[in-house]
Amino acid sequence: MPSTSSVLSAYTTFTASAMLVRTVIKEVQTLTNQIIPKPIQELILSKLGGFVRNQATSQMTIIIEEFNGYSMNQLYEASEIYLRTKINPSLNRVKVSKSAKEKSFSLTINKGEKIIDEFEGIQFIWEITSKDDKDLSHDATKNRVIQLSFDRKYMEQVLSTYLSHVMETSNAITEQNKVVKLYALGHFGGESNRGAWGSTSLDHPATFDKIAMDPILKQNLIDDLDRFVRRRDFYRRVGKAWKRGYLLYGPPGTGKSSLIAAMANYLKFNVYDLELASISNNSKLRNLLVSTSNRSILVIEDIDCSVELQDRQSSRILDHNNSSQLTLSGLLNFIDGLWSNCGDERIIVFTTNHKERLDSALLRPGRMDMHIHMSYCTPSGFRILVSNYLGINDHDLFPDIDELITEVQATPAEIAEELMKSEDTDIALEGLIKFLERKKTESVEGETEIGDNKRKAREEIDVDENINVVHDHDQWKAKNKRILMRDQAGLRQECSTWFCGGGAEPVGRIL
């Protein structure tokens, strides 16, 4: 333990030294002010300060947000896919997933992890974070953000070369390994990186080869889809949004949903299943629709009964704010209005069992460009179904089945159900014949009953007409009797008046 005198001596020495330093600094400042003008001093200090700050913060950081307004940021999508190829054992945590159609596991970096990438001698640091944000509906959301850091002197190379490299690599990976996704509102176990949309893999095995529909109509649809996807420059030249609308209509069980899956598998387009009943107003509808990605199919099934849309010609009083409810006008504005340009290479599909119930504004070209009638099963459709389910292309019972199919109205779903009841070909086909014959008998009995009802109704109408005729005849006789009695009463009064001298002689009366 040092003595008190030693402590006091050290303190005195330190104080004296500090006073000497302050004196020297003050003398230097005085001398500097005398020699160098104040404006020049400030300029020198600002340059030195900027140099020090640049040395301390030489890194530039680019922020890539998940959404660009309402739309998905394509650079974010591309960066996320690109980073999957840069995952290495140095990371502490990664997310692993695998869908039924993927050949290998899919790795994704977790939030907070950093990946170092090198391109053309430049080092880049990637990191996924998140930020709190609020959309127009004032619902709190957490949007993911990707940060890209690098030396600021390479800013030009990053914008001109590196980000283009990221986009090209991502597109190549997507085309090679793309798995069609099915999106719906809410998060239900799949990826949840699209705000309100949740996704899962669309593992539907439907293809055009397996769809039981008219071969000519099927080929027309395939040709139309091929023509659509290759006409980007054409749509831009004529000034139209790059989209296409299809209306699928027909009885239940005719394969409308399977046809949508076949279209998605054929084009490798993601599918967005939109339920209008879960949307409260036009504003929310726009937010959801513009957040869908390019190269996608937007599906609204059973549009005639999913929600009662406010008709544009309705006389009901509406709120002053059109966004306070979901209206037909709001839906049309996205399909064919200014909002239809928010995105490219999109297909819109409506399905309905009752085309006649739809507003004509939904059906015109430019909205629903191609109307596809999904009808009852035909002999050609039966050939496809029996090949799918039983693996045969010919059988002795085919002519009998073809004849019955042309005489009854059976949906492809009904035919398929009968073919699934036995793995034995003969038993399955014989069961199908019995089903079609039973359906034919029910149809004949139904027509007979309808005919009897019509005949009975005609007889009732005839009886009513006869009763009305008799009734009318009786009314006519009563009316004439009243007229005759009135005339006789008037004649007697006139005669009494004339004989009594109460008036002039009637003119034209026959007494």
Side-chain angles (χ1 to χ4, degrees):
M1 178 69 67
S3 64
T4 304
S5 59
S6 300
V7 173
L8 291 175
S9 176
Y11 175 76
T12 302
T13 304
F14 174 77
T15 304
S17 300
M19 292 179 62
L20 178 62
V21 170
R22 285 198 298 269
T23 302
V24 171
I25 292 175
K26 187 174 181 181
E27 291 296 331
V28 171
Q29 288 178 342
T30 302
L31 182 62
T32 302
N33 291 335
Q34 293 176 353
I35 299 175
I36 304 174
K38 189 169 179 126
I40 296 178
Q41 293 181 36
E42 294 176 351
L43 178 62
I44 294 174
L45 290 175
S46 65
K47 294 294 184 180
L48 290 175
F51 175 77
V52 173
R53 286 193 298 271
N54 288 339
Q55 291 298 318
T57 59
S58 61
Q59 290 289 96
M60 168 73 74
T61 299
I62 290 179
I63 304 298
I64 306 173
E65 295 186 356
E66 184 177 4
F67 291 95
N68 182 19
Y70 293 127
S71 303
M72 188 73 182
N73 188 346
Q74 294 185 17
L75 181 57
Y76 181 94
E77 289 183 298
S79 301
E80 190 176 41
I81 296 172
Y82 176 78
L83 290 178
R84 294 175 185 174
T85 66
K86 301 299 178 179
I87 293 178
N88 55 69
S90 65
L91 298 177
N92 295 323
R93 293 180 302 173
V94 295
K95 293 188 294 185
V96 183
S97 62
K98 183 181 183 302
S99 66
K101 293 186 177 181
E102 291 178 337
K103 298 179 180 179
S104 59
F105 295 102
S106 176
L107 301 180
T108 308
I109 65 172
N110 200 32
K111 186 177 71 172
E113 295 289 341
K114 294 183 179 181
I115 286 184
I116 298 178
D117 183 31
E118 186 171 329
F119 178 76
E120 294 183 353
I122 306 173
Q123 188 179 75
F124 300 93
I125 301 175
W126 293 87
E127 182 179 3
I128 293 183
T129 61
S130 63
K131 71 167 187 174
D132 293 334
D133 199 359
K134 290 187 176 180
D135 58 16
L136 293 181
S137 62
H138 306 289
D139 295 330
T141 58
K142 277 194 174 182
N143 292 334
R144 296 195 299 173
V145 174
I146 294 179
Q147 295 182 356
L148 174 61
S149 301
F150 51 90
D151 195 313
R152 64 176 59 250
K153 66 182 179 180
Y154 298 118
M155 182 68 176
E156 183 177 351
Q157 290 94 315
V158 170
L159 296 178
S160 62
T161 307
Y162 184 60
L163 293 182
S164 298
H165 165 70
V166 171
M167 294 288 291
E168 292 172 0
T169 304
S170 171
N171 292 336
I173 295 173
T174 301
E175 290 301 319
Q176 182 180 0
N177 302 318
K178 183 171 183 179
V179 175
V180 177
K181 296 287 186 178
L182 174 62
Y183 288 88
L185 297 183
H187 302 152
F188 42 91
E191 297 178 1
S192 58
N193 60 350
R194 289 191 179 277
W197 294 103
S199 71
T200 185
S201 297
L202 180 62
D203 295 326
H204 202 296
T207 61
F208 280 116
D209 293 336
K210 299 179 181 179
I211 295 295
M213 62 183 295
D214 181 75
I216 297 177
L217 180 58
K218 184 193 301 185
Q219 189 59 48
N220 289 340
L221 174 57
I222 294 174
D223 293 341
D224 193 78
L225 291 173
D226 291 338
R227 185 165 50 250
F228 167 73
V229 296
R230 68 169 180 261
R231 301 181 84 181
R232 176 190 182 96
D233 295 337
F234 170 81
Y235 278 89
R236 187 172 298 275
R237 177 168 58 83
V238 299
K240 288 177 64 68
W242 193 13
K243 64 178 184 61
R244 191 75 172 161
Y246 298 92
L247 175 68
L248 310 183
Y249 67 99
T254 52
K256 294 184 286 294
S257 298
S258 296
L259 180 58
I260 295 172
M263 294 168 64
N265 289 330
Y266 181 74
L267 297 174
K268 295 296 183 182
F269 279 18
N270 292 329
V271 177
Y272 289 83
D273 183 18
L274 181 62
E275 294 185 6
L276 294 181
S278 61
I279 301 175
S280 58
N281 54 60
N282 292 338
S283 177
K284 186 175 181 180
L285 176 66
R286 287 194 296 268
N287 295 352
L288 291 172
L289 295 180
V290 298
S291 64
T292 59
S293 64
N294 295 337
R295 295 179 60 83
S296 62
I297 301 176
L298 175 68
V299 179
I300 303 179
E301 294 197 89
D302 298 322
I303 189 173
D304 58 299
C305 57
S306 58
V307 68
E308 182 181 356
L309 294 173
Q310 171 65 59
D311 195 289
R312 296 181 301 172
Q313 306 298 328
S314 175
S315 59
R316 287 187 293 174
I317 298 177
L318 302 178
D319 295 337
H320 294 293
N321 183 10
N322 288 335
S323 64
S324 63
Q325 61 182 343
L326 180 62
T327 65
L328 176 62
S329 178
L331 180 60
L332 296 178
N333 188 33
F334 179 80
I335 297 174
D336 195 32
L338 294 176
W339 285 89
S340 65
N341 295 281
C342 299
D344 284 333
E345 206 169 359
R346 286 176 173 166
I347 290 175
I348 302 173
V349 179
F350 292 164
T351 72
T352 179
N353 297 334
H354 305 281
K355 178 182 176 182
E356 67 280 359
R357 295 181 184 177
L358 299 182
D359 191 294
S360 58
L362 284 170
L363 304 179
R364 72 167 179 79
R367 289 168 181 160
M368 293 294 102
D369 303 289
M370 188 173 183
H371 297 189
I372 302 173
H373 182 215
M374 305 296 290
S375 62
Y376 294 101
C377 192
T378 62
S380 60
F382 164 70
R383 290 294 194 281
I384 296 175
L385 291 175
V386 76
S387 176
N388 293 340
Y389 288 91
L390 299 180
I392 61 174
N393 296 317
D394 194 15
H395 195 276
D396 294 339
L397 296 178
F398 277 12
D400 296 335
I401 296 176
D402 290 343
E403 183 178 354
L404 287 170
I405 285 180
T406 58
E407 295 175 350
V408 301
Q409 291 183 339
T411 65
E414 292 175 321
I415 301 296
E417 179 62 25
E418 294 299 321
L419 294 176
M420 292 176 62
K421 289 183 177 180
S422 177
E423 296 179 356
D424 186 279
T425 300
D426 294 334
I427 295 176
L429 294 179
E430 289 172 359
L432 176 58
I433 290 177
K434 292 179 181 179
F435 167 76
L436 294 174
E437 289 176 342
R438 185 169 62 253
K439 200 171 185 65
K440 179 180 178 181
T441 302
E442 293 173 355
S443 177
V444 173
E445 291 176 351
E447 292 177 358
T448 303
E449 184 178 354
I450 293 174
D452 293 340
N453 292 336
K454 288 183 177 180
R455 184 168 56 256
K456 190 177 297 183
R458 283 197 300 269
E459 291 175 354
E460 292 177 355
I461 293 173
D462 293 340
V463 171
D464 291 339
E465 289 178 350
N466 292 335
I467 293 174
N468 291 335
V469 169
V470 173
H471 180 66
D472 293 343
H473 181 67
D474 292 341
Q475 287 184 336
W476 177 78
K477 288 174 63 178
K479 181 179 180 181
N480 289 340
K481 185 176 181 180
R482 287 195 301 271
I483 294 173
L484 180 60
M485 292 173 64
R486 184 189 61 203
D487 290 344
Q488 289 176 353
L491 181 60
R492 285 195 298 269
Q493 183 176 359
E494 290 177 1
C495 291
S496 174
T497 303
W498 179 56
F499 286 127
C500 294
E505 180 180 359
V507 179
R509 288 289 185 182
I510 301 176
L511 302 178

